[in-house]
Amino acid sequence: KKSEIDNGSASKLFQEIWPIVAAVSSNQGMMQRSEILSTVYSFISAMIVSIPQLTLSHIGNILSASIAQFEQTLSPCCVDCVTKAVEIFSNNKESSELFSQLLCGYTNRVFIAVKHGEQIEPEVVENFFDMLTRYLLFCPALLFRSVAFPTVLEIASYFITIQEAAPARKVLNFLENILKKTHPVAPGQAPRLNFTAQIDAVVENHGANLVQQIIMGLDSASPSVHQSRLQNIYTEMRKHYRVPVEGWTMNALSNLPNVNSTVSEFLSSQ
């Protein structure tokens, strides 16, 4: 009885508030104000988590519009809202087109910012790779079969040397999980979708840059825990792509002649 009352109250409150949220979110002038933008998307995120059954039928238009908001503002709250939606709604087949659109839109905007040297806040990087990890965990087919996947790997390569601890962890988590998808299923494990072909194709085209960025990260003053994880990522890449990684490593070292001896010793030991 209590849950029925709670659900009824939530439904009534939602019906009263949602038109206001939709109206505010579609007002470009108001959404230029960072405090309003953050409040609106924080509220939407809370609704997605708290009453998903009520928000599902309304969320498409607002999330699609969030791409334009993110293009203008590079606000982390937009990304966080999509992250929540992917986690809650990714098993809904009717939402797959929406999530594909969101993945491409957000990835394209971050890529443009990287290429043009725009200032990207560490929180944006952290939330973006948190979002990508949700795609990887909850709807991997959308990620690996997306036209945005090669760009995603380029962005990951770029941010692998980021110095801030929180976004660096998210980037490294994402790359580690990508490489896990190339592993064969061990005896006794449940079968899973295999995306090795998609990963191999992207690594073939973008692996050289990734290897060079890993070596640059190893040569930088990043925290030791990140150094260790970069070594693990390099070792995993070498395990799966030995011949090309050897060539990419030689090319990278020719471009980075002043790599410190510790890094050189590590690379030689592989």
Side-chain angles (χ1 to χ4, degrees):
K1 293 293 185 181
K2 184 178 185 300
S3 64
E4 291 178 6
I5 294 172
D6 289 344
N7 288 336
S9 300
S11 178
K12 182 178 179 181
L13 181 62
F14 178 83
Q15 290 171 7
E16 292 175 353
I17 292 178
W18 192 258
I20 300 172
V21 174
V24 172
S25 66
S26 64
N27 187 310
Q28 293 298 318
M30 294 186 71
M31 294 298 277
Q32 290 300 312
R33 298 173 60 178
S34 60
E35 69 276 13
I36 292 179
L37 181 70
S38 178
T39 299
V40 167
Y41 280 101
S42 295
F43 176 80
I44 295 171
S45 295
M47 293 296 98
I48 290 172
V49 173
S50 302
I51 46 174
Q53 70 278 10
L54 297 179
T55 56
L56 177 59
S57 60
H58 299 273
I59 205 68
N61 290 337
I62 286 182
L63 286 181
S64 296
S66 77
I67 297 173
Q69 296 295 342
F70 186 68
E71 287 175 345
Q72 295 176 26
T73 64
L74 283 176
S75 173
C77 65
C78 296
V79 193
D80 185 58
C81 189
V82 175
T83 301
K84 298 290 194 305
V86 170
E87 184 169 343
I88 300 297
F89 298 131
S90 61
N91 61 349
N92 186 294
K93 293 182 179 179
E94 296 177 1
S95 301
S96 60
E97 184 177 345
L98 169 64
F99 288 127
S100 294
Q101 175 192 10
L102 292 168
L103 176 61
C104 290
Y106 277 80
T107 298
N108 184 59
R109 182 63 183 95
V110 173
F111 183 70
I112 289 172
V114 167
K115 286 299 183 184
H116 291 178
E118 296 180 51
Q119 180 68 34
I120 305 177
E121 295 296 325
E123 187 180 359
V124 175
V125 179
E126 180 180 357
N127 287 9
F128 179 68
F129 280 94
D130 197 25
M131 179 192 78
L132 292 175
T133 299
R134 292 303 191 282
Y135 272 93
L136 189 61
L137 295 175
F138 294 99
C139 46
L142 286 183
L143 174 65
F144 291 119
R145 294 170 183 163
S146 172
V147 295
F149 181 47
T151 307
V152 164
L153 195 63
E154 282 194 67
I155 295 170
S157 299
Y158 177 82
F159 283 114
I160 207 168
T161 57
I162 192 170
Q163 294 297 301
E164 289 81 5
R169 280 195 298 271
K170 296 293 184 180
V171 175
L172 297 175
N173 282 344
F174 178 73
L175 287 171
E176 287 169 344
N177 280 308
I178 288 286
L179 291 173
K180 286 178 183 176
K181 292 293 182 180
T182 66
H183 290 187
V185 177
Q189 286 186 340
R192 60 170 180 250
L193 290 173
N194 190 302
F195 301 102
T196 299
Q198 288 88 348
I199 297 170
D200 287 352
V202 173
V203 170
E204 181 180 352
N205 290 321
H206 301 282
N209 183 50
L210 177 57
V211 166
Q212 179 159 315
Q213 292 297 316
I214 290 172
I215 293 172
M216 290 173 63
L218 290 169
D219 194 45
S220 71
S222 56
S224 59
V225 62
H226 296 162
Q227 298 272 333
S228 175
R229 295 181 70 184
L230 283 170
Q231 289 179 350
N232 291 338
I233 291 170
Y234 178 86
T235 300
E236 284 297 309
M237 284 192 68
R238 187 130 178 174
K239 181 191 303 182
H240 296 292
Y241 311 103
R242 173 165 288 278
V243 173
V245 168
E246 287 176 351
W248 296 334
T249 300
M250 292 178 63
N251 289 337
L253 291 175
S254 68
N255 295 329
L256 304 167
N258 298 317
V259 167
N260 69 61
S261 58
T262 302
V263 176
S264 297
E265 289 171 6
F266 165 72
L267 296 173
S268 298
S269 68
Q270 297 301 297

